Amino acid sequence: MTPLLADPAPGLLRAAPIQPSGHTMSQKRLLRYLEIKVHHLIQDRGWDSIRVIGDYDRSTVVSRYEKTGKLFNIERPTATVQGGDLVVKAFPGADYVQHYALIIATYLAITGRRADTVSYQPPGQEECRTALDALDLTLDGDLVIVGWGLEHLAPENGGWTSRPGYAWQRAEVAGRRVVYLGFLHSIWGDVAGRVVARLAELGAGDVVYVGKVGSLTPGIEPNTWLATGNTSLVGGELVSWDDFFGDYAASRGGVQCGLHVSSPTTMLENRDWLAQHTASYAFVDPEIGPMGAAARQAGIGFGYLHVISNNLTAHYPADLSNERHDDVLRRRTVLIDRIRAIITGRLTGSPAQVRGGTR
C-alpha cells in the first residue's frame, strides 16, 4: 500500500511520483533512465526527508553516477547530508529543480520505497538569473554555438578555455566569428533561456543550440534524423523567433522541420500528454522554447539543429535510457557530421556536404 503523502514544510512543494503505467516509456526503461540520474546517496540508503533546491555547489557530495567520456554536461546535482535528511543541490532553474525532484520521487516509488519524503523549493527569479552572472565572454556580434557534441563541432586543433562550470573555444568560419560554448552542468529548461539572455547581454549576434529532441511523429526512428524549426509552444502560447537557419537547414536531406513543444520535464510526458500534442507538434524538449523566446526578446537570431534521440509514440530499441549504447553512439557520430556540415554550409552559403545518412 502506498503511504499517504505528508504535507511539506512551508515554502516547499511536494514531489509526487508519476505513474509508470501511464508514461510513454515502459516501466523497465523508465527505471533504467532514473537509475543513471539519481544520486548514489539516495540509491544506497533511505532518508527521513529529501529536499531539492537550486544551488550550484560542487563542494558537497558529488554523485558517482555522473557522466564520463565527454567534455560537457557531465555534472549532476550534488548532495549535503544533514543528519537523517538529505539536501540535493541542482543548478538554479525552476524546471530543473522540479525535474530532478520528480526523478527522485518516482525512483523511490518504483523501487518500493517511501516517496512522500521528497519535496522541492523552486528557486526565485533573481536567484536563477544571478546563477549565470559568472558566464563572462567578450562577444561582438559573434555566433555562439551551445549544447551537445561541441567537441566534434569545434575545430580539432583548437583549445578550450575553461572557467568554473563552462568552457569555450573561438574560431572563424567564412569570415564570421564563432564561439563554441559548453557547460559542465545541465542547462535544463528555463536555465537555457537565461543562457541566451546572458549571451545577448554579452554581445552575441546569433545563438545556435545543438542538442537532442523527442519525436511526436509515428514512424520516425531515433538517431536517424535531425530536427529544426522556428516555433515552439511555451507555457500554452506559440513563440516564433528570427531563425538563424532560415530555410537552409530544413531543405537539407535527413532533416525534419516542424512545430516544437516545450516540456519542463520528461517525467510529465505521459500518454495523456502525448495525446494532447501529437496531432499538432513534431518535437519536444525542455530548452528550445525558452531559448527562442529569450532570443526574440533580446532581438538576436536563434536556431536549433537537433538529433531526434527518441520517439514518444512507440518503443524503439534506442531511447533516453540507453544513450551510451555503442550503436547509438555510432549513429550519432554520423548525425553530428551532418550538423557540422549544415552549420558550415549556412555560414559559407554553399550546399552542405555530408557523409551518407543512417536511414
Side-chain angles (χ1 to χ4, degrees):
M1 180 177 177
T2 303
L4 294 176
L5 297 177
D7 289 332
L12 299 178
L13 299 176
R14 181 188 305 121
I18 63 103
Q19 295 298 321
S21 60
H23 201 266
T24 50
M25 281 193 276
S26 68
Q27 179 164 321
K28 180 180 179 180
R29 294 191 178 196
L30 179 60
L31 178 59
R32 188 165 60 193
Y33 172 76
L34 299 173
E35 287 173 336
I36 62 178
K37 297 184 178 297
V38 173
H39 198 288
H40 72 268
L41 289 179
I42 298 170
Q43 299 195 44
D44 289 352
R45 56 159 287 188
W47 299 92
D48 295 335
S49 73
I50 300 172
R51 177 164 53 98
V52 184
I53 65 173
D55 185 7
Y56 183 53
D57 184 0
R58 298 295 294 174
S59 69
T60 54
V61 182
V62 173
S63 175
R64 65 169 176 257
Y65 299 126
E66 288 197 334
K67 292 184 179 181
T68 59
K70 61 179 186 174
L71 292 179
F72 301 114
N73 192 24
I74 58 176
E75 299 176 350
R76 291 295 176 263
T78 56
T80 297
V81 178
Q82 298 181 347
D85 303 319
L86 192 69
V87 177
V88 178
K89 299 181 176 182
F91 192 88
D95 294 337
Y96 193 41
V97 168
Q98 179 193 26
H99 172 65
Y100 202 71
L102 292 179
I103 281 176
I104 295 170
T106 303
Y107 168 79
L108 292 175
I110 290 179
T111 56
R113 296 158 62 182
R114 288 186 59 185
D116 63 336
T117 58
V118 184
S119 61
Y120 64 101
Q121 184 173 355
Q125 290 294 318
E126 185 66 14
E127 182 183 358
C128 293
R129 188 191 65 78
T130 57
L132 287 168
D133 283 350
L135 175 59
D136 192 13
L137 296 169
T138 300
L139 303 172
D140 185 13
D142 304 62
L143 164 64
V144 182
I145 301 175
V146 63
W148 169 82
L150 296 176
E151 56 266 50
H152 304 293
L153 295 175
E156 293 182 1
N157 58 352
W160 294 96
T161 301
S162 297
R163 294 290 183 270
Y166 68 99
W168 77 92
Q169 182 178 152
R170 296 184 183 274
E172 186 170 306
V173 181
R176 180 77 186 271
R177 292 187 302 272
V178 179
V179 174
Y180 302 88
L181 172 63
F183 291 88
L184 276 66
H185 55 78
S186 176
I187 57 168
W188 188 276
D190 56 304
V191 177
R194 292 186 183 88
V195 167
V196 172
R198 177 61 176 162
L199 290 172
E201 289 177 356
L202 295 170
D206 296 283
V207 175
V208 164
Y209 179 40
V210 176
K212 296 168 287 185
V213 292
S215 175
L216 306 181
T217 304
I220 302 297
E221 183 181 356
N223 303 306
T224 62
W225 289 87
L226 299 178
T228 194
N230 71 344
T231 303
S232 177
L233 183 70
V234 185
E237 296 185 2
L238 287 175
V239 176
S240 298
W241 52 84
D242 178 13
D243 189 2
F244 169 82
F245 291 106
D247 296 329
Y248 185 82
S251 66
R252 303 301 98 184
V255 180
Q256 295 273 328
C257 183
L259 289 176
H260 174 272
V261 57
S262 295
S263 170
T265 168
T266 52
M267 304 306 294
L268 299 179
E269 294 164 13
N270 57 27
R271 293 194 187 98
D272 289 340
W273 180 95
L274 179 63
Q276 294 170 13
H277 295 92
T278 188
S280 301
Y281 300 94
F283 318 121
V284 59
D285 94 324
E287 291 89 32
I288 289 170
M291 295 177 89
R296 177 176 176 173
Q297 183 172 358
I300 66 173
F302 172 70
Y304 73 91
L305 191 55
H306 280 33
V307 169
I308 295 179
S309 58
N310 58 300
N311 192 315
L312 281 69
T313 70
H315 292 158
Y316 285 88
D319 61 17
L320 297 180
S321 71
N322 58 9
E323 293 188 292
R324 305 176 202 181
H325 191 277
D326 287 345
D327 182 61
V328 172
L329 297 176
R330 178 186 63 80
R331 288 170 176 254
R332 290 184 180 177
T333 297
V334 175
L335 294 173
I336 202 71
D337 284 348
R338 185 178 296 161
I339 290 171
R340 182 175 59 248
I342 290 174
I343 293 174
T344 301
R346 163 64 178 80
L347 291 172
T348 61
S350 61
Q353 301 296 319
V354 299
R355 294 187 295 187
T358 58
R359 287 179 288 123

